[in-house]
Amino acid sequence: MATFLYKLGRLSFRRRHFVALIWVALLTLAGVGAASAPAAGNSSFSIPGTEAQKAFDLLEQRFPGTSADGATARVVFKAPSGEKMTDPGNKATVQDTVKELSDGSEVVRVTDPYQAKAVSKDGTIAYAQVSYKVSGMELDDAAKDALKDSAQDARKAGLTVEIGGDALQAVPHTGSSEVIGIAVAAVVLVITFGSLVAAGLPLLTALIGVGIGVSAITGLASALDLGSTTSTLAMMIGLAVGIDYALFIVSRYRAELAEGREREEAAGRAVGTAGSAVVFAGLTVVIALVGLSVVNIPMLTKMGIAAAGTVAIAVLIALTMIPALLGYAGRKVKPMGEKGKRFGRSKPQDEAAEPARPAKPNLGTRWASFVVRRPLAVLLLGVIGLGAAAVPATSLELGLPDDGSQPTSTTQRRAYDLLSEGFGPGFNGPLMVVVDAKNSDDPKTVFTETGDEIRGLKDVVTVTPAQPNKAGDTATITVIPGSQPSSVTTENLVHGIRDAGADIKADTDATVLVTGSTAMNIDVSEKLNDALVPYLVLVVGLAFLLLIVVFRSILVPLKAALGFLLSVMAALGAVVAVFQWGWLSGLMGVEQTGPVMSMMPIFMVGVVFGLAMDYEVFLVTRMREAYVHGEKPAQAVVTGFRHGARVVTAAAVIMMAVFAGFIGSSESMVKMIGFGLAIAVFFDAFVVRMAIVPAVLALLGRKAWWLPKWLDRALPNVDVEGEGLRTRTDRGDEDRELVRA
């Protein structure tokens, strides 16, 4: 591995014009493809195998032309103080609005509040429901403008009018904080390298990689049914790993220059050593992201694969474009020089004649020496601290966002609140019961008995009469719960209806299915919970095997996996504290607390595991390199920190800055993932990798690097430490000395 990457690095350095041209051509091609591709609609949200999805598919089959997957809008009216919606003037305004809404070409139907009995008991609030042929993201701007204009006309007549539903769904934006995150990354790079040119290389290559990845996603979005969140998350992860991977290679290149090597040789050795770590770190991230497909939720699978593709591009750019750009930079990417002494690096050969002065140990060396002296205390402190941070995760509640999680400044949220005020909290999460009586002898009787059975359940406010299809063999029944959509009580009601449906199935051979957005959210949460353990086994197992190959050890990969579990649980605890409990919610821009996104834990496990292994590989490979070359275990830990602590710290700060930049997103899912990943990187990099890992290695001593002999013979030798390079270059140095003699 190291020898192959060494040759690739030297080749890219020599053929830099060709390499740069290839990447620029790929960026241009991807950009043209994205610009010419049709606009992507909203990604279809299907959950194969769930009861809610089965009911949804049955509706499409038995009720053709109803556009069950189309957008909906609830136009909510509230009468002025002292008036009622049944007053003649207010009634006329509402009916005019309904007539105006019905004229849209994409409108399937509009319900009249007075005919549909959609007026609150006190008469102050009413609503009209608009159903469209297409989804919210596919609606024409003209249709959205017509919806807003009709509401504005009613407001002019004195009514309070708000619009809920997904018809006004918009593409999320991340805000200026994303740019701030990149700016922070730039500052950290400048401080780390002390050179604008050296700092600019990781940023430039990361932006090129993300540009190619996101443009490719945009170009394929329509064909592959990719939602807007897919490209946002690919950008988030691609930026973070792209900067970090380039940072490690540039840093190693400067260190090689500081040891007196020629620029081409330094580039080759940097790619051969740090590049090997980049490859395996990237592989762990790709495994974790692609592994999301085991959950069998198409949207999550697409997000994971798209982000994994962006990570793969980041790895390839780091291995090829970075050495090419180093060739262009010339002497402007200076060796570590005086900084090198603080890292324990020797000075360039042309300065070897100067009197050597004792170098002051750098912060990484001092910290590692402290941990090696007191490993048990550091280990206990780190574990207890992360355990305390993880405590809120014990009260984790999962759900999917609805209009109730929107900021109070939005019309969707105000419509949600008005409906709760007028009709009760459960009105915002109606359940649709689909009764398939095709195999029953008396479908009408089955429909009636099903409705009566549901009325007898707890927390049921309203059960509408069954609405059969034209064939009369299938009907829909709308159930209004008494509790809000995300409550445990509503979840219990869904299970209660399904249990009652099982009894009806046994008696009448009719199938009762529960669907609707609320039931779908419940099914998604349960599906994700069921998939979490198999996903962990698959991803952690594959990465564990990969790390055994990298470190040629059993205990080091095991320690890495356990450390990851600590950091991810602590991060989930922080997410619960902020987004569910409301701690620091104002600082994070969280206007409405509530259940944590149902896919947040499994997505966070996948991404954080990949990123955690990044730091494990980068930091511990330097320790193993020192150990393999003869240092004692404790000294190898200190050496690894002397060479890698500053760079790993800079990489972690950069990654945190990039992820934190997405906290400013208008979409709650992106905001939550941005915060969760940022805090997870903090816990993993600074507590687990910088404290717990060296403490455990110090306690284990030589046992940390133990590997059964039979397994050692069976494993392939990937030479991440660059032992082959050391032999190769040392032999080359001896040959040059003989020539000089």
Side-chain angles (χ1 to χ4, degrees):
M1 171 70 77
T3 303
F4 169 76
L5 293 178
Y6 167 79
K7 294 177 180 178
L8 178 63
R10 295 195 64 165
L11 178 65
S12 299
F13 188 94
R14 289 196 305 271
R15 300 287 186 262
R16 47 186 170 273
H17 304 307
F18 180 69
V19 172
L21 183 62
I22 288 178
W23 284 112
V24 172
L26 288 175
L27 178 61
T28 304
L29 183 63
V32 171
S36 58
N42 191 29
S43 178
S44 58
F45 190 78
S46 62
I47 313 296
T50 61
E51 180 172 317
Q53 187 63 46
K54 292 176 182 176
F56 191 83
D57 296 338
L58 184 64
L59 285 173
E60 291 285 342
Q61 179 184 348
R62 303 288 176 84
F63 292 83
T66 57
S67 299
D69 60 344
T72 59
R74 280 182 171 179
V75 184
V76 188
F77 306 89
K78 183 175 183 180
S81 179
E83 299 182 18
K84 294 184 180 296
M85 290 306 303
T86 52
D87 294 345
N90 294 334
K91 186 174 182 179
T93 300
V94 172
Q95 290 176 331
D96 289 342
T97 303
V98 170
K99 183 179 179 181
E100 185 179 349
L101 289 170
S102 302
D103 294 336
S105 60
E106 294 182 320
V107 175
V108 176
R109 61 185 174 275
V110 182
T111 60
D112 186 316
Y114 304 100
Q115 296 179 5
K117 299 181 180 180
V119 181
S120 62
K121 291 182 179 180
D122 61 4
T124 60
I125 297 174
Y127 74 91
Q129 182 155 314
V130 187
S131 300
Y132 293 90
K133 298 177 183 177
V134 296
S135 66
M137 294 295 285
E138 295 171 322
L139 268 182
D140 290 339
D141 290 338
K144 295 182 179 181
D145 292 339
L147 182 60
K148 296 175 184 177
D149 292 342
S150 63
Q152 188 59 36
D153 292 340
R155 291 190 187 103
K156 292 178 181 177
L159 298 178
T160 298
V161 186
E162 303 296 344
I163 304 172
D166 60 353
L168 295 182
Q169 186 175 3
V171 176
H173 63 273
T174 55
S176 59
S177 55
E178 177 189 346
V179 179
I180 295 175
I182 297 176
V184 171
V187 171
V188 173
L189 287 170
V190 171
I191 294 174
T192 302
F193 289 132
S195 164
L196 290 176
V197 174
L201 292 182
L203 279 177
L204 176 61
T205 54
L207 290 174
I208 291 174
V210 167
I212 294 172
V214 173
S215 296
I217 292 170
T218 304
L220 298 172
S222 179
L224 300 181
D225 190 27
L226 303 177
S228 57
T229 305
T230 303
S231 58
T232 303
L233 295 177
M235 180 190 303
M236 180 192 303
I237 297 171
L239 270 177
V241 300
I243 294 174
D244 279 6
Y245 294 165
L247 165 65
F248 285 111
I249 291 179
V250 173
S251 177
R252 186 61 181 252
Y253 171 77
R254 283 159 50 92
E256 297 295 336
L257 287 180
E259 293 181 1
R261 291 186 172 85
E262 296 296 329
R263 292 191 299 123
E264 182 178 330
E265 176 68 16
R269 287 183 62 87
V271 175
T273 51
S276 297
V278 165
V279 169
F280 282 99
L283 276 176
T284 59
V285 180
V286 169
I287 288 173
L289 291 172
V290 174
L292 291 171
S293 58
V294 303
V295 184
N296 196 26
I297 294 180
M299 185 184 76
L300 195 59
T301 299
K302 293 171 185 176
M303 288 166 54
I305 293 175
T310 308
V311 171
I313 293 172
V315 172
L316 292 174
I317 283 185
L319 298 177
T320 57
M321 194 172 186
I322 281 292
L325 293 180
L326 290 173
Y328 284 118
R331 297 292 178 183
K332 294 180 181 178
V333 180
K334 298 178 181 179
M336 299 181 72
E338 291 300 319
K339 286 186 179 180
K341 293 193 298 182
R342 294 198 295 272
F343 280 83
R345 306 288 192 186
S346 60
K347 298 182 71 174
Q349 291 179 356
D350 57 359
E351 298 179 17
E354 294 183 11
R357 291 177 296 175
K360 181 181 178 182
N362 67 345
L363 182 60
T365 302
R366 297 197 299 273
W367 168 250
S369 300
F370 170 79
V371 174
V372 168
R373 290 196 303 271
R374 297 176 178 81
L376 187 59
V378 172
L379 176 62
L380 291 176
L381 186 62
V383 171
I384 292 173
L386 290 179
V391 168
T394 57
S395 63
L396 175 68
E397 295 178 9
L398 299 177
L400 287 177
D402 54 22
D403 286 347
S405 62
Q406 296 273 3
T408 53
S409 58
T410 62
T411 185
Q412 292 95 330
R413 172 60 189 278
R414 291 196 292 263
Y416 181 97
D417 292 339
L418 285 176
L419 289 172
S420 297
E421 176 187 341
F423 301 93
F427 198 79
N428 284 292
L431 305 175
M432 180 177 288
V433 179
V434 182
V435 185
D436 180 7
K438 190 173 184 178
N439 298 325
S440 177
D441 296 333
D442 188 359
K444 289 185 179 180
T445 302
V446 172
F447 299 155
T448 302
E449 291 178 352
T450 302
D452 293 341
E453 187 75 21
I454 294 173
R455 287 187 184 92
L457 299 176
K458 293 181 180 179
D459 199 48
V460 174
V461 174
T462 304
V463 178
T464 64
Q467 301 293 322
N469 62 348
K470 290 182 179 180
D473 59 4
T474 307
T476 60
I477 300 172
T478 301
V479 180
I480 305 298
S483 304
Q484 62 184 8
S486 58
S487 67
V488 176
T489 307
T490 300
E491 182 179 349
N492 293 335
L493 174 59
V494 170
H495 291 301
I497 296 174
R498 289 172 174 171
D499 292 340
D503 296 334
I504 294 172
K505 172 76 172 177
D507 295 338
T508 66
D509 206 25
T511 302
V512 178
L513 304 172
V514 185
T515 188
S517 60
T518 301
M520 184 70 81
N521 291 353
I522 292 170
D523 287 350
V524 169
S525 298
E526 292 179 352
K527 189 176 182 70
L528 289 166
N529 286 337
D530 294 341
L532 185 57
V533 173
Y535 174 72
L536 273 173
V537 172
L538 173 67
V539 173
V540 176
L542 288 176
F544 181 77
L545 295 176
L546 183 66
L547 292 179
I548 288 178
V549 174
V550 174
F551 295 126
R552 308 195 76 78
S553 164
I554 297 292
L555 296 180
V556 170
L558 180 62
K559 172 262 308 171
L562 294 177
F564 150 74
L565 291 176
L566 277 174
S567 57
V568 79
M569 288 302 298
L572 278 176
V575 169
V576 170
V578 173
F579 291 89
Q580 188 175 309
W581 292 0
W583 294 4
L584 302 177
S585 57
L587 181 63
M588 298 297 166
V590 181
E591 296 189 27
Q592 180 64 33
T593 59
V596 173
M597 206 82 56
S598 58
M599 63 180 63
M600 180 70 183
I602 199 163
F603 186 84
M604 195 168 170
V605 163
V607 177
V608 173
F609 181 79
L611 300 180
M613 295 307 102
D614 276 5
Y615 300 117
E616 181 75 14
V617 170
F618 288 129
L619 194 59
V620 180
T621 48
R622 296 307 295 263
M623 298 179 188
R624 174 165 175 78
E625 184 177 343
Y627 177 77
V628 167
H629 294 147
E631 293 189 9
K632 294 182 179 180
Q635 183 57 40
V637 171
V638 176
T639 300
F641 267 77
R642 182 170 71 247
H643 290 298
R646 181 185 178 97
V647 180
V648 170
T649 299
V653 172
I654 289 169
M655 200 170 279
M656 288 168 56
V658 172
F659 288 149
F662 288 83
I663 296 176
S665 173
S666 62
E667 186 166 314
S668 57
M669 179 177 178
V670 176
K671 180 190 292 286
M672 190 178 294
I673 289 178
F675 171 79
L677 294 183
I679 197 70
V681 168
F682 172 78
F683 287 143
D684 195 84
F686 294 106
V687 181
V688 174
R689 309 303 152 188
M690 292 288 187
I692 294 178
V693 166
V696 171
L697 290 178
L699 288 171
L700 291 175
R702 294 186 182 277
K703 295 178 183 178
W705 308 107
W706 170 80
L707 186 70
K709 292 183 179 179
W710 64 268
L711 184 57
D712 187 40
R713 291 191 298 269
L715 291 177
N717 184 12
V718 295
D719 189 22
V720 177
E721 297 82 19
E723 183 63 27
L725 288 184
R726 179 180 293 265
T727 304
R728 177 192 185 99
T729 53
D730 287 348
R731 186 168 59 246
D733 291 342
E734 292 174 3
D735 292 342
R736 284 191 293 271
E737 290 297 329
L738 289 174
V739 170
R740 292 193 189 100

